[in-house]
Amino acid sequence: MITRPDHIEDYLITVRNGQWFGWSDHTNKVYANLIVHDGGRKPTEQECTDGLVQLQTDFDNRKTKKETDKANANQKLKDLGLTDDEIKEIKGIN
Amino acid sequence: MAELRVKSTGTLKLFESDNTSSVTIASPASLGADRTVTLPDASVTLASGTMLATDGDGSSLTGLTPGITEADLWYVTSSFTDSGIDIVTANWSRFPASLGFNKMGTGMSESSGVFTFPSTGLWKITWHFYAYHDTDASYVGGGIYTTEDDFNDFIRAAQTYTNTLSGVLSHVGIYVSTIFDCEDTATHKVEFYTEAQADTDFIGNATAGRMTASFTRLGDTP
C-alpha cells in the first residue's frame, strides 16, 4: 500500500487475485453492499474489519521502522564524524 | 452599372452544342423584394442535385451528416490484485454525471467486460489505467481486444507494456488506443485486459477515473 489503508476494499484485494468482488452500489461501498463475482467465499464483516486493522498496523509499523532506520543511519554517520552537509552529499541531497 | 432585364418571370436559356436541350435560369414567379445573386471571384462547379440554402452562418443547412454522434466513457469502480493476462470483466460503470460526464448518443452496452456498440461505424477506442506494485513484477501491460465474430476469435487491436522495478514500489500508467471498424454490432465487439508478471494492484475507483475506456464514433463504416 502506498497510502495508509482506510477501507475494507484495501483488505479485499489482498484476499485473492482477480476481480472476484464488487459492490451492489459502487457509490456506497459498505459491507452490506459487498458482492462476490467468482462464486468463492465471501469474507465475513469481522474478517474485513480485522483485515483492515491488520493492514493499518502493518503500514504503521513499516512507516515507523523506516523512520527509525533513517534516524539510526544518520546518527551512525554522525558518530563516524560526518557533518550534516557531508551526510546530505552522500545521500544526494543538494 | 449596365443591366440585362428579362421581365415577366424571366428566364435565361443556355443551350447545349446541338441546341437540343438547355439549362434554364429562371426567376421565381413571385418575389418579396429585389434579390441579388453575386458570383464569387473564383471558378465554381455546381454538383448535380439540389443546392443547399444557408442563412449565412450555415445554421439552417439540412441534409448533412453530422460528424460525431456517439461518445461514451466507462470506468472500473473497484481495485483488484492480479497477475498474468486477464480481461477486466467486472465492476464496469458508465462515468457519471457527478464526475462531469454525460454520454452523447445511445452509448455502449457492457456485459461481463464485453462491450457492444450501439451502431456500426468507425470507432476510436481508448483504454487507460493506473497500477502499482512492490512485488517481483518487472513489467506491467495492458491492451484492447476486438472481435469480428463475437469473440470466437479475437484481434490484438492495441497492446503495450512498461518496465517496472522488481521488488521496489513502482507506479504504472498504461494508455492504448485503436480505431475499429464495427461493420456488424452483433459480431464486432471489444474488451479490455490487464497484464502483470507478478501480483500488481490495479486501481479502480468510484470517485475518480483511474481505469477508463472511451468510445467515440468517428463516422460511418468506410
Side-chain angles (χ1 to χ4, degrees):
Chain A
M1 299 289 173
I2 56 173
T3 56
R4 192 174 192 271
D6 61 359
H7 193 277
I8 60 171
E9 188 167 297
D10 294 325
Y11 165 69
L12 293 169
I13 67 171
T14 70
V15 173
R16 54 185 184 267
N17 277 8
Q19 290 187 288
W20 65 271
F21 73 90
W23 308 91
S24 58
D25 178 0
H26 67 257
T27 64
N28 187 21
K29 292 182 176 181
V30 296
Y31 182 81
N33 291 336
L34 177 63
I35 55 175
V36 174
H37 294 309
D38 66 354
R41 192 180 77 84
K42 179 179 178 178
T44 65
E45 186 167 12
Q46 190 61 52
E47 286 173 333
C48 292
T49 303
D50 293 346
L52 175 58
V53 170
Q54 186 61 53
L55 286 176
Q56 291 172 331
T57 302
D58 292 346
F59 183 90
D60 293 342
N61 288 344
R62 279 197 305 273
K63 187 177 178 185
T64 300
K65 181 179 183 305
K66 196 171 181 180
E67 290 168 352
T68 303
D69 287 347
K70 186 178 178 181
N72 287 345
N74 272 326
Q75 188 56 54
K76 287 175 181 175
L77 289 171
K78 284 186 179 179
D79 291 345
L80 289 171
L82 276 70
T83 66
D84 287 339
D85 285 343
E86 289 168 339
I87 292 171
K88 282 182 180 177
E89 283 300 323
I90 65 168
K91 287 180 176 175
I93 303 170
N94 297 314
Chain B
M1 181 176 67
E3 287 183 340
L4 175 62
R5 295 192 173 208
V6 183
K7 294 192 170 182
S8 302
T9 315
T11 61
L12 180 63
K13 281 185 177 292
L14 304 173
F15 282 84
E16 60 184 334
S17 59
D18 63 3
N19 295 324
T20 303
S21 299
S22 65
V23 174
T24 300
I25 300 173
S27 69
S30 176
L31 284 163
D34 288 342
R35 311 295 186 190
T36 301
V37 176
T38 304
L39 297 175
D41 180 15
S43 298
V44 177
T45 301
L46 298 180
S48 63
T50 302
M51 292 176 64
L52 300 173
T54 176
D55 56 4
D57 64 2
S59 61
S60 67
L61 285 172
T62 59
L64 302 177
T65 302
I68 291 175
T69 56
E70 291 276 353
D72 205 358
L73 180 63
W74 289 66
Y75 73 144
V76 179
T77 58
S78 289
S79 300
F80 57 95
T81 301
D82 209 359
S83 62
I85 298 178
D86 277 309
I87 305 298
V88 180
T89 58
N91 304 325
W92 284 103
S93 184
R94 176 169 283 119
F95 211 63
S98 60
L99 295 179
F101 176 73
N102 287 294
K103 68 181 170 73
M104 175 189 286
T106 304
M108 303 292 290
S109 57
E110 181 269 339
S111 177
S112 298
V114 177
F115 284 83
T116 301
F117 296 92
S119 57
T120 60
L122 202 61
W123 288 78
K124 180 176 182 180
I125 305 161
T126 70
W127 169 227
H128 113 276
F129 61 81
Y130 163 58
Y132 61 78
H133 72 75
D134 58 2
T135 60
D136 292 333
S138 61
Y139 66 84
V140 173
I144 301 171
Y145 289 152
T146 56
T147 182
E148 296 177 330
D149 59 5
D150 200 12
F151 280 114
N152 286 313
D153 200 357
F154 65 89
I155 299 163
R156 293 178 179 84
Q159 190 172 34
T160 194
Y161 298 90
T162 189
N163 202 48
T164 57
L165 298 172
S166 179
V168 177
L169 182 59
S170 298
H171 299 262
V172 178
I174 292 288
Y175 176 87
V176 290
S177 69
T178 189
I179 295 176
F180 181 53
D181 183 13
C182 175
E183 298 174 317
D184 185 337
T185 59
T187 55
H188 288 51
K189 299 177 182 181
V190 61
E191 58 190 13
F192 304 91
Y193 72 89
T194 59
E195 182 172 4
Q197 188 186 27
D199 280 359
T200 296
D201 293 344
F202 297 91
I203 310 303
N205 193 296
T207 56
R210 291 183 172 172
M211 299 186 85
T212 66
S214 72
F215 309 85
T216 306
R217 188 179 184 279
L218 301 176
D220 293 338
T221 188

